[in-house]
Amino acid sequence: MVNMLRLPIRAFSSLPQLPKTSFEPGPYQGPTAEEISFIRQSNVTPILKPLYQKPLMLHQGHMQWLYDNKGKRYLDMFGGICTVSVGHCHPKITEAVINQFNKLGHVSSLYHHPKLFEYSKRLAEKMPGDLKVVYLLNSGSEANDLAILLARLYTGHTEILSLKNCYHGMSYQTMGLTSVGHYKYSVAPPTGFHTVMNPDVFRGPWGGSKCRDSPSQTSRECSCESEECKAGHEYISVLKNEFRSVVPAGKLAAFFAESIQGVGGTVQFPENYIKEAYRIVKENNGLFISDEVQTGFGRTGEHFWGFEGHGIIPDVVTMAKGIGNGFPLAAVVTTKEISEALTKAAHFNTFGGGPIASTIGLAVLDIIEEEKLQENSLSVGTYLLTELAKMKERTPYIGDVRGKGLMIGVEMVENNKNLTSIAPGKFSIFLEKCKDMGLLVGAGGYDKNVVRIKPPMCITREDADFTLSVMEKALKYID
């Protein structure tokens, strides 16, 4: 049997050609790959594992492009795990950071420095309703951790619900929210956390061909008899029952939900599920907390925030990743009334809202507006989703295509007739061959069988065509 992973990439003719760019990377002058490997084994925590069998050694980036230590160019369609929002080393961000470092690098929020206030105001202006109070931090885990504290302080309740298959962080407390076994350690869990059925219209017990707010739907037959989503009603019925069994009547602290599940494999919920869940949360006197760590800042295309596509205004919004285009920056945004709960004791973050972080945050907002990246996410993302759905019809290895804008998931299966998740070895071959042809995509989902496409929002239609060509070619290696 031929080992397809070792088969030369030129075994298949007419390989896709990377779109042209005028950018020229500088020469790599750091440690060799062998030295890096030794350091990794000797000095770096063993939990850090590379995505590829042969680790990819990157040293420079520009917009949607990444370059390895040998100068090879790659199209980055994963964006540093949905984090690089406006482009690698965007010149406007670089210039702003240099200018700010020349003035002031760091002071804490114990002192007034203009950038924290300028950025907090600009960010609050992007929020609907009474979501006008901003607390700046460094990561999504920190943001969700603070949101837990805030909800319990404000409501006086302890019980918190989240959806199965969700990912909300890896701090000890957010591990209670996260519901993917890969990210749970065998230690005593934090108390007061409960997970409820995930309304997954592809893998769950209910779902059809009209359930999702997406250009691409599942291949399941839809049994809806009207414009109302029957699957959504079924999942809401289950949610109501789970409320009755795990939450003391009327004493919920919070319900957490991503607008589209990210790490869990770009899972979308039935239309109106989140709106109905919000109503149930309010009936139980809890706060609805929207995790916009991956879906925020225009990535879903039609709206700046993912929750806007669900027709709700949450009580608390958490955000990170794309907020800083790769720089450690995060935020919790809530109402004035709810924010007052945190004043019951002292709470402080040394680096949150520092001059550099705030400067970058401002530059990211400017770039998204000036370069119309939200509009680009909608245009290029819809094209990608539509073409990937067509690709699904041409191969047995794609079971589902889903998402909105430039937040896309492609679930790979052994056969789209029985929907068994593709074998890890085959999925690894697919990722390796994409990489060899110059395309970087991510992996997600409970079985690690979902191709995650979440690139810098500056990608072009030409980049999308290259992505489609490479993916279709890489599928041939697992036939």
Side-chain angles (χ1 to χ4, degrees):
M1 181 176 178
V2 177
N3 185 333
M4 299 302 287
L5 194 57
R6 294 181 177 276
L7 196 62
I9 197 70
R10 292 184 176 82
F12 296 111
S13 60
S14 63
L15 294 174
Q17 296 298 304
L18 277 164
K20 294 180 180 179
T21 178
S22 60
F23 181 78
E24 290 290 336
Y28 175 70
Q29 298 176 330
T32 65
E34 291 74 19
E35 289 170 333
I36 290 289
S37 178
F38 178 79
I39 294 169
R40 177 171 174 262
Q41 294 177 33
S42 303
N43 306 115
V44 178
T45 173
I47 194 60
L48 295 182
K49 297 178 181 178
L51 178 61
Y52 301 105
Q53 292 188 12
K54 183 179 179 181
L56 183 58
M57 193 167 161
L58 299 170
H59 94 103
Q60 192 164 356
H62 177 74
M63 302 306 287
Q64 65 267 54
W65 307 113
L66 287 169
Y67 299 83
D68 70 13
N69 58 314
K70 297 179 180 178
K72 181 176 178 178
R73 179 163 59 103
Y74 301 85
L75 175 62
D76 181 12
M77 292 296 284
F78 196 26
I81 314 182
C82 198
T83 298
V84 179
S85 51
V86 301
H88 292 281
C89 301
H90 194 290
K92 182 163 185 170
I93 294 177
T94 301
E95 181 182 6
V97 168
I98 291 171
N99 289 338
Q100 183 58 46
F101 256 124
N102 283 331
K103 295 176 183 176
L104 181 65
H106 172 75
V107 290
S108 77
S109 57
L110 289 173
Y111 307 98
H112 283 186
H113 65 85
K115 292 301 180 184
L116 182 149
F117 299 96
E118 290 175 33
Y119 182 57
S120 295
K121 181 176 183 292
R122 280 284 304 280
L123 187 59
E125 289 171 349
K126 301 296 291 186
M127 308 302 297
D130 294 327
L131 293 168
K132 299 304 178 187
V133 179
V134 176
Y135 193 115
L136 296 174
L137 311 100
N138 309 296
S139 73
S141 291
E142 276 191 343
N144 284 327
D145 201 273
L146 178 59
I148 293 167
L149 176 63
L150 192 58
R152 285 174 166 167
L153 286 170
Y154 177 75
T155 64
H157 307 151
T158 60
E159 306 308 306
I160 292 179
L161 299 184
S162 59
L163 296 168
K164 294 184 187 301
N165 197 57
C166 70
Y167 180 89
H168 294 289
M170 276 302 299
S171 67
Y172 177 69
Q173 189 163 239
T174 57
M175 210 187 311
L177 284 175
T178 294
S179 183
V180 180
H182 302 299
Y183 301 103
K184 287 186 175 291
Y185 289 96
S186 183
V187 296
T191 60
F193 294 93
H194 312 274
T195 56
V196 299
M197 178 184 280
N198 189 36
D200 182 349
V201 299
F202 176 65
R203 288 285 181 186
W206 304 288
S209 59
K210 301 176 182 178
C211 289
R212 297 191 298 226
D213 179 18
S214 172
S216 179
Q217 301 287 344
T218 71
S219 299
R220 301 172 75 170
E221 291 187 10
C222 191
S223 58
C224 297
E225 298 176 355
S226 66
E227 293 183 0
E228 294 295 319
C229 179
K230 183 177 179 180
H233 285 311
E234 295 288 356
Y235 286 115
I236 285 294
S237 179
V238 171
L239 181 62
K240 288 178 179 177
N241 287 330
E242 296 198 84
F243 261 84
R244 294 188 189 105
S245 64
V246 300
V247 179
K251 293 187 177 181
L252 177 71
F255 181 94
F256 274 76
E258 301 162 89
S259 296
I260 299 174
Q261 289 184 335
V263 174
T266 319
V267 174
Q268 287 182 279
F269 315 129
E271 293 188 66
N272 292 323
Y273 176 87
I274 290 295
K275 182 179 287 187
E276 282 297 299
Y278 177 89
R279 183 182 60 79
I280 298 169
V281 168
K282 296 291 100 182
E283 289 176 352
N284 284 270
N285 302 313
L287 299 185
F288 192 102
I289 299 175
S290 182
D291 182 331
E292 293 286 324
V293 169
Q294 295 196 29
T295 50
F297 295 89
R299 178 163 293 279
T300 59
E302 289 182 353
H303 304 282
F304 199 79
W305 306 109
F307 64 77
E308 293 176 299
H310 294 290
I312 67 165
I313 298 179
D315 300 293
V316 182
V317 181
T318 62
M319 56 193 77
K321 291 188 180 289
I323 189 175
N325 197 50
F327 190 86
L329 176 60
V332 174
V333 183
T334 188
T335 68
K336 178 70 172 176
E337 180 184 357
I338 294 171
S339 71
E340 291 289 344
L342 207 59
T343 65
K344 295 176 181 178
H347 196 280
F348 184 73
N349 189 296
T350 300
F351 298 102
I356 304 301
S358 297
T359 295
I360 292 172
L362 283 163
V364 168
L365 290 178
D366 287 342
I367 293 164
I368 291 172
E369 293 174 4
E370 294 167 1
E371 300 183 6
K372 299 186 182 304
L373 296 186
Q374 180 181 331
E375 294 85 343
N376 192 61
S377 290
L378 178 61
S379 173
V380 179
T382 299
Y383 172 72
L384 254 177
L385 280 160
T386 302
E387 294 302 311
L388 285 166
K390 294 176 184 177
M391 190 186 300
K392 181 179 77 168
E393 303 304 316
R394 300 194 295 267
T395 175
Y397 293 116
I398 296 179
D400 195 32
V401 174
R402 51 191 181 248
K404 285 188 70 177
L406 289 175
M407 185 153 184
I408 298 171
V410 179
E411 183 153 353
M412 296 184 66
V413 293
E414 286 290 337
N415 187 300
N416 56 20
K417 302 302 179 186
N418 59 33
L419 304 185
T420 301
S421 296
I422 196 168
K426 291 181 180 179
F427 191 73
S428 178
I429 290 171
F430 175 82
L431 291 180
E432 292 280 346
K433 292 308 174 185
C434 284
K435 180 253 298 178
D436 291 344
M437 288 184 274
L439 175 68
L440 305 182
V441 292
Y446 187 82
D447 291 328
K448 298 290 185 184
N449 67 317
V450 179
V451 181
R452 296 174 66 194
I453 299 174
K454 297 162 184 183
M457 296 186 294
C458 58
I459 66 161
T460 66
R461 176 82 168 258
E462 191 178 11
D463 298 330
D465 284 331
F466 174 75
T467 299
L468 293 162
S469 297
V470 169
M471 288 180 65
E472 190 136 32
K473 189 75 69 174
L475 286 169
K476 298 182 184 298
Y477 287 88
I478 55 177
D479 278 338

